[in-house]
Amino acid sequence: MPFSLRSGLPGLLGLLVLLAALFLVSLRQDKARQEAEGWRIHTVEVIAQAQRLLAALLDAETGQRGYLLTQNPAYLDMNEQAHKTLDDLTGELLRLTSDNPSQQENLTRFHALAHERLDILEDVVGLEQVGRRSDALALISSGTGRDAMERARQQIDVIIAEEERLLRERSARADEAALRSRWLTYAAGVLGLLLLGVAARFGLAMARAEERANSSEALRASDEFNRRVLAASPDCVKLMTLDARLEFFSEGGLCAMEIDDFDRQLKGADWLSFWKPDDRPKVRAAIDDALAGGIGRFQAFCPTAKGTPKWWDVSVSPILDAEGAPEKLLSASRDITGARRSEERIALLGEAAARLLTSGNPAAMVADIFGLIAGPLRLDVFLNYRLTGEGDLLLVAQNGLDEATLRDVSRIRLGQTICGTVASDRQPRHLADALVSEEPLSVYLKPIGITDYTCTPLVVDDNLLGTLAFGRRSDERFSQEDLTLLHTICHYVALAIERIRTEERLRSFNAELEARVAERTAELEAAASHLRAEMVEREAAQAQLHEMRKLDTMGQLTGGVAHDFNNLLTPIVGSLERAQKKLDGDERTLRLIRGGLEAAERACVLVTRLLAFARRSHLEARPVDVGALLHGMTELIQRSIGPQITVSVQVEDGLPAAKVDSNQLELALLNLALNARDAMPGGGRLTMSAQGEQVGANHPTGLAPGRYVRLSVVDTGGGMDQETLSRAVEPFFSTKGIGKGTGLGLSMVHGMAAQSGGTLALSSSLGLGTRAEIWLPETDEAPVVAPLLPRELAPAPFAARILLVDDEAVVRAGTAEMLRDLGYDVTEANGGSQAMALMRSGFEPDVLVTDFLMPGMNGVDLVESLRQIRPSLPALLVTGYADLAPSASGGLPRLPKPFRMADLAGAVAGILSGGNVVSFMRRTQEHRE
């Protein structure tokens, strides 16, 4: 409608005012929109750069693992590139967040954590490069690197959360500015409407049109930038509804998941259904974390749309609305298949190394390792050859070969087949496409369907141990990573085989050494047992040692006393015999003399036993009439144990002989009798018996089957409890108290019985006495009875001159008188010096009769000295030592003390007539009876 200038001036002014207001409001709104869009773009750029930082750190991990598995230095380039990328991206983010001190601090923390993780990666690579693989694996397994990586991820999450918070704050401020602009617009509109409603509405329409145009252009610019950012990211970025329905997929994600058409294939699909049922609980947990305002994370397996197997590292975070409530879900998934495969192979290598450390059989060990790696590496065949001493290769373990092939390849020469060539060259071989290969050495692979084959020499310290080969029958070929892993396992197997061989050699050496030590220590076991007992009862052991010394001193004293007693008996026996001959008519005196001779004979028997006690007589096992021995000892035992104890002897009629040393048996019986006496301090009864026994298999004594003589010594004393009985035969064990016993009596009896082929059996109960049984093997040999020395006086061949030498005047006088009674001319000398002086003065004896032990010069030395003056001088050696060895007597004829006149006459007559020399024989009681 037309209007006049006057009426139109207010409208024009109102229009101008309205236009000015609208222009100012439009400018403010446009500035607010541009600022909001700028901050949104800034936030997206910061988040994208932060994700690239984390991706660069993961690339460094992938490079390290790839190098560990393949030893390919190219993987280290990824590590170095990651260093540079981290520094560049960190600098760019510091520039982008220069107005935010909080983000600057967060970036500084992440940079430190990232370099901490990179330092650990460099340490692992450094250990591997210097050959310390086990230390590198140990560092990986320690979890230090994983902890550093997890802290770096958490720091990136903090950076992203902080940027999203800033975006929400800036969006709120923009909304407040828009609200103020709207109020200004309303005020200008009221004024304008009063002036020119139509103009105001037209101006408002124009402003809104301009606003929509500007907003559309800004949105188009923002969407294009976001598209470029997402397309450049290697991660799979997805936008989902709150119930996990897919709404958007980044271009990089479509490529990674091998998706051709998102709208047709995936839009609106349930993201949870993509994962395996076993993994869905942790996927659900990550979604729940995001819905609660946090960031959910998990790792799981999910194949691509075309079936390619892949592992993913996934994060789920919320996109919040203006009120701070979750509006959408944003998920970023990174392909970690390579890193996962590296971890699996490192774990597989670690498990193989652990099994190789504990295995003890090389063939079984290789079969076990094949069972471990066959599945993960998809192996069908393995062959393990061992180098023999003849220089060829012997198949010791295999899997997947038929019998015909086994016959052909069970033993090969160096240079024959692929394994023989590998052993000869000591270099690994890989034969791909074996079915179509023209390689002559692969002739046995084709019949068994092997498509891919690799063989590695087993070498340790330049020593060839054999070869180890693996093969596949599938169309899949060994990758370089597969070959590197198999070569590493073969190296570990070689080390394990060498370890087993070294251990076997060590065990063999130890067994031989132990056998030698056992041989050397068998005789020391008793001494070791004694020493252990000494440590427990030191004071008692010292007392027992004192008793042993007293016993040894007593033995030495007894031997000396027996020798002196022999010297004393010699003149007594001689004098009584001379008196007996001179008193033919005096019957009363003759009875006294015969009684004296009988007492002298009993004294001889006592001396014999004293010498046996002192171990001064020759001990040997021979057939013994045990019954006669028991009866002969009865009187001695009765005197030894006292009249308060009654002694009885029971011997089976027709008892066979037992093979034993009679002196040792006498001492054993005497020991048992003395033990019985100590057990019956108030008197009692001692029964000694002997009878024959047939021992069968599994006899309680443990003796071998056969005939035995059993000697029993039974007392009516207090007996022993089971603990004392079990230790009764232990050396030095005694219940008699310190200074009252040596603890060797029963031990000596047990040792004597065992050495004689028998045993000592003890049985006892408290209050019922003790029974000791000596079991000795029977013998069919007749008991040895020494022939009596002749009792008739041998006549003197002629009145020979005899030089008699003895330092004992009584013995020398008695012997001289007997010789003179026999018709000999006797010249006496009291020692070697006087005899030498007589010979040098011209005295010519026909026979030298000399004592053995004399001061200054013994009898053997005297004979040698006199024979230098007169080489053919006959000599007779008289001695009271029954244990004088033939070598000590110089081979001279010997006459033991005490002797009868008939003994002396026969010995001297035998020397003078050139007859048999009476051999040395210690007379026992049997000789006199």
Side-chain angles (χ1 to χ4, degrees):
M1 177 182 295
F3 51 89
S4 64
L5 180 60
R6 176 179 294 180
S7 61
L9 183 59
L12 180 61
L13 292 174
L15 180 60
L16 291 175
V17 171
L18 181 60
L19 288 176
L22 288 176
F23 179 73
L24 292 174
V25 169
S26 176
L27 286 178
R28 290 175 62 86
Q29 288 181 342
D30 185 57
K31 182 179 180 182
R33 283 194 300 271
Q34 288 180 356
E35 287 181 354
E37 187 60 32
W39 285 120
R40 181 182 177 188
I41 293 172
H42 176 273
T43 299
V44 171
E45 186 174 359
V46 169
I47 291 174
Q49 294 285 33
Q51 289 177 341
R52 287 177 185 172
L53 273 177
L54 187 60
L57 192 57
L58 289 171
D59 286 342
E61 276 194 340
T62 302
Q64 173 245 7
R65 290 169 177 161
Y67 176 72
L68 288 179
L69 286 173
T70 66
Q71 307 297 315
N72 188 350
Y75 281 99
L76 297 180
D77 295 341
M78 298 176 64
N79 199 354
E80 295 176 359
Q81 183 62 36
H83 272 277
K84 183 177 183 305
T85 303
L86 278 171
D87 292 339
D88 293 345
L89 291 176
T90 302
E92 179 63 19
L93 277 173
L94 288 172
R95 182 189 63 78
L96 290 173
T97 60
S98 59
D99 60 341
N100 189 340
S102 175
Q103 285 292 63
Q104 293 270 306
E105 183 179 351
N106 289 334
L107 283 170
T108 302
R109 290 175 184 168
F110 172 79
H111 192 262
L113 290 172
H115 276 278
E116 178 183 346
R117 177 57 178 149
L118 290 176
D119 290 342
I120 295 174
L121 294 177
E122 289 177 356
D123 290 342
V124 172
V125 171
L127 290 172
E128 175 67 21
Q129 288 177 335
V130 298
R132 295 169 57 187
R133 172 173 284 263
S134 59
D135 293 339
L137 293 177
L139 182 56
I140 293 174
S141 302
S142 67
T144 306
R146 287 194 299 272
D147 292 343
M149 188 65 190
E150 184 59 28
R151 293 198 302 273
R153 289 178 188 273
Q154 293 172 358
Q155 195 62 38
I156 288 294
D157 293 342
V158 170
I159 293 172
I160 293 174
E162 175 66 14
E163 200 63 33
E164 291 175 347
R165 184 189 65 79
L166 290 174
L167 180 60
R168 289 193 298 272
E169 290 181 357
R170 290 160 178 163
S171 297
R173 287 198 298 271
D175 291 341
E176 291 176 359
L179 181 62
R180 288 194 298 271
S181 297
R182 282 195 295 271
W183 280 110
L184 181 61
T185 302
Y186 294 155
V190 171
L191 179 62
L193 288 174
L194 292 174
L195 300 174
L196 186 61
V198 175
R201 286 195 299 272
F202 179 76
L204 183 60
M206 291 295 294
R208 289 178 178 174
E210 183 179 0
E211 179 183 356
R212 284 195 298 272
N214 292 336
S215 298
S216 297
E217 181 64 25
L219 286 174
R220 281 195 299 272
S222 175
D223 289 342
E224 175 62 21
F225 180 80
N226 290 340
R227 187 194 68 77
R228 291 198 307 272
V229 170
L230 293 175
S233 173
D235 296 334
C236 179
V237 180
K238 303 166 286 296
L239 186 64
M240 300 180 290
T241 62
L242 296 181
D243 59 353
R245 297 284 177 175
L246 291 172
E247 289 186 347
F248 170 77
F249 233 87
S250 66
E251 291 186 20
L254 293 174
C255 181
M257 286 294 293
E258 300 181 322
I259 298 171
D260 298 328
D261 188 341
F262 170 74
D263 292 339
R264 181 175 59 83
Q265 291 179 266
L266 294 181
K267 191 168 185 178
D270 182 10
W271 183 60
L272 192 66
S273 65
F274 292 176
W275 306 97
K276 294 189 300 182
D278 292 343
D279 292 331
R280 288 174 187 172
K282 58 185 178 183
V283 178
R284 181 74 263 174
I287 293 174
D288 292 342
D289 289 343
L291 292 175
I295 298 177
R297 286 192 176 278
F298 66 92
Q299 290 184 353
F301 174 82
C302 180
T304 67
K306 296 183 179 180
T308 302
K310 287 189 177 183
W311 280 85
W312 303 91
D313 181 28
V314 184
S315 66
V316 183
S317 57
I319 297 177
L320 305 179
D321 59 14
E323 286 75 24
E327 182 180 4
K328 300 288 183 183
L329 295 178
L330 180 68
S331 173
S333 304
R334 184 171 183 83
D335 183 4
I336 60 170
T337 305
R340 186 78 178 198
R341 186 180 295 114
S342 299
E343 292 176 355
E344 290 174 351
R345 296 200 170 193
I346 290 174
L348 185 66
L349 194 61
E351 175 65 19
R355 294 191 183 187
L356 291 171
L357 285 175
T358 58
S359 180
N361 180 281
M365 172 187 70
V366 176
D368 181 48
I369 293 301
F370 176 76
L372 174 67
I373 66 175
L377 295 180
R378 297 167 294 286
L379 303 175
D380 300 300
V381 176
F382 88 91
L383 293 86
N384 177 213
Y385 282 97
R386 175 174 57 84
L387 183 66
T388 67
E390 292 78 16
D392 52 7
L393 296 173
L394 177 66
L395 185 64
V396 294
Q398 62 86 26
N399 183 76
L401 301 185
D402 54 35
E403 292 185 3
T405 305
L406 274 175
R407 287 193 298 270
D408 294 338
V409 301
S410 62
R411 198 178 191 101
I412 61 176
R413 299 185 306 274
L414 294 180
Q416 181 185 4
T417 75
I418 292 178
C419 289
T421 303
V422 166
S424 178
D425 298 342
R426 300 195 179 188
Q427 293 294 328
R429 288 282 301 275
H430 174 216
L431 186 65
D433 300 319
L435 291 177
V436 298
S437 174
E438 299 299 327
E439 172 67 64
L441 298 174
S442 66
V443 63
Y444 71 92
L445 300 178
K446 297 178 182 179
I448 58 176
I450 294 179
T451 58
D452 204 0
Y453 188 75
T454 178
C455 182
T456 305
L458 303 179
V459 179
V460 177
D461 295 334
D462 204 34
N463 294 322
L464 178 66
L465 306 179
T467 62
L468 183 56
F470 299 97
R472 288 175 175 169
R473 290 193 173 101
S474 63
D475 294 336
E476 186 178 4
R477 298 295 178 261
F478 287 124
S479 67
Q480 185 58 47
E481 291 182 352
D482 293 337
L483 294 174
T484 301
L485 180 61
L486 289 174
H487 292 335
T488 303
I489 289 176
C490 288
H491 177 62
Y492 285 1
V493 167
L495 293 175
I497 291 175
E498 182 63 20
R499 172 186 60 80
I500 292 172
R501 291 184 176 182
T502 302
E503 289 176 353
E504 288 176 351
R505 290 193 294 268
L506 183 59
R507 280 194 295 270
S508 176
F509 174 76
N510 286 339
E512 181 180 355
L513 183 60
E514 289 175 1
R516 292 181 180 179
V517 170
E519 292 176 2
R520 297 295 187 270
T521 57
E523 298 177 356
L524 299 177
E525 290 181 354
S529 176
H530 166 62
L531 289 176
R532 286 192 296 270
E534 272 194 344
M535 295 174 64
V536 177
E537 300 177 358
R538 190 177 192 84
E539 183 178 350
Q542 289 175 346
Q544 290 165 353
L545 180 60
H546 178 65
E547 290 297 319
M548 286 181 61
R549 288 172 178 169
K550 284 168 57 178
L551 189 62
D552 183 60
T553 303
M554 186 182 299
Q556 295 177 9
L557 180 61
T558 301
V561 169
H563 171 262
D564 293 341
F565 203 43
N566 277 334
N567 281 338
L568 294 174
L569 283 173
T570 298
I572 292 173
V573 171
S575 298
L576 289 174
E577 280 193 319
R578 291 179 64 230
Q580 188 179 31
K581 291 183 181 299
K582 294 182 182 297
L583 297 172
D584 247 348
D586 190 348
E587 186 59 32
R588 182 174 179 275
T589 305
L590 287 175
R591 281 199 308 271
L592 294 174
I593 292 174
R594 281 195 296 270
L597 285 173
E598 184 180 347
E601 291 293 340
R602 291 172 62 185
C604 288
V605 174
L606 177 60
V607 170
T608 299
R609 289 193 173 123
L610 286 173
L611 289 171
F613 173 76
R615 297 296 189 267
R616 295 261 180 145
S617 61
H618 181 61
L619 304 179
E620 60 180 3
R622 57 187 176 85
V624 173
D625 185 344
V626 177
L629 185 142
L630 273 179
H631 285 298
M633 289 193 65
T634 303
E635 184 179 354
L636 174 63
I637 290 176
Q638 184 67 74
R639 289 199 307 269
S640 299
I641 64 177
Q644 74 276 17
I645 298 174
T646 303
V647 179
S648 64
V649 177
Q650 301 170 4
V651 178
E652 182 183 274
D653 294 337
L655 182 66
K659 197 163 187 178
V660 66
D661 186 290
S662 59
N663 292 320
Q664 285 191 0
L665 182 57
E666 286 177 353
L667 283 176
L669 292 171
L670 185 58
N671 267 318
L672 293 177
L674 293 175
N675 282 343
R677 178 200 64 189
D678 294 339
M680 300 182 289
R685 183 177 184 82
L686 177 66
T687 303
M688 297 190 298
S689 61
Q691 57 269 343
E693 294 284 350
Q694 176 67 43
V695 171
N698 301 319
H699 194 267
T701 59
L703 292 170
R707 293 287 304 175
Y708 291 84
V709 174
R710 182 182 67 182
L711 286 84
S712 302
V713 178
V714 183
D715 65 58
T716 58
M720 296 180 284
D721 58 25
Q722 289 302 309
E723 181 180 358
T724 303
L725 183 63
S726 66
R727 299 186 60 193
V729 297
E730 291 182 9
F732 306 109
F733 176 75
S734 176
T735 60
K736 299 178 183 179
I738 297 175
K740 297 182 180 180
T742 64
L744 293 173
L746 288 178
S747 177
M748 182 275 290
V749 176
H750 179 269
M752 181 278 298
Q755 291 171 7
S756 300
T759 189
L760 171 66
L762 295 175
S763 59
S764 182
S765 297
L766 286 175
L768 299 179
T770 300
R771 182 183 188 89
E773 296 178 348
I774 301 177
W775 293 71
L776 299 171
E778 284 187 5
T779 178
D780 295 333
E781 302 177 38
V784 176
V785 179
L788 294 176
L789 291 178
R791 295 296 183 179
E792 297 297 329
L793 296 178
F798 57 93
R801 289 185 297 176
I802 295 178
L803 176 58
L804 176 62
V805 185
D806 198 314
D807 63 305
E808 290 285 345
V810 176
V811 178
R812 185 175 68 248
T815 304
E817 290 302 324
M818 284 192 285
L819 288 173
R820 291 188 181 102
D821 287 347
L822 291 171
Y824 294 108
D825 181 12
V826 181
T827 300
E828 300 178 38
N830 62 6
S833 299
Q834 189 176 4
M836 290 289 292
L838 287 171
M839 289 288 289
R840 290 193 181 101
S841 66
F843 179 67
E844 291 288 341
D846 296 310
V847 177
L848 170 65
V849 178
T850 178
D851 188 23
F852 171 69
L853 188 60
M854 298 181 294
M857 181 184 298
N858 63 37
V860 176
D861 294 338
L862 176 61
V863 172
E864 291 178 354
S865 299
L866 293 180
R867 283 181 174 174
Q868 291 179 3
I869 301 172
R870 183 181 167 189
S872 60
L873 177 64
L876 175 63
L877 192 64
V878 180
T879 178
Y881 285 99
D883 63 341
L884 186 63
S887 59
S889 65
L892 296 174
R894 289 167 293 170
L895 179 64
K897 298 177 184 178
F899 50 82
R900 305 283 289 269
M901 185 179 291
D903 302 334
L904 180 60
V908 175
I911 292 175
L912 289 174
S913 63
N916 293 329
V917 177
V918 179
S919 62
F920 173 68
M921 183 180 300
R922 182 174 53 85
R923 296 184 309 172
T924 60
Q925 183 178 1
E926 293 89 341
H927 296 162
R928 297 299 184 189
E929 296 177 348

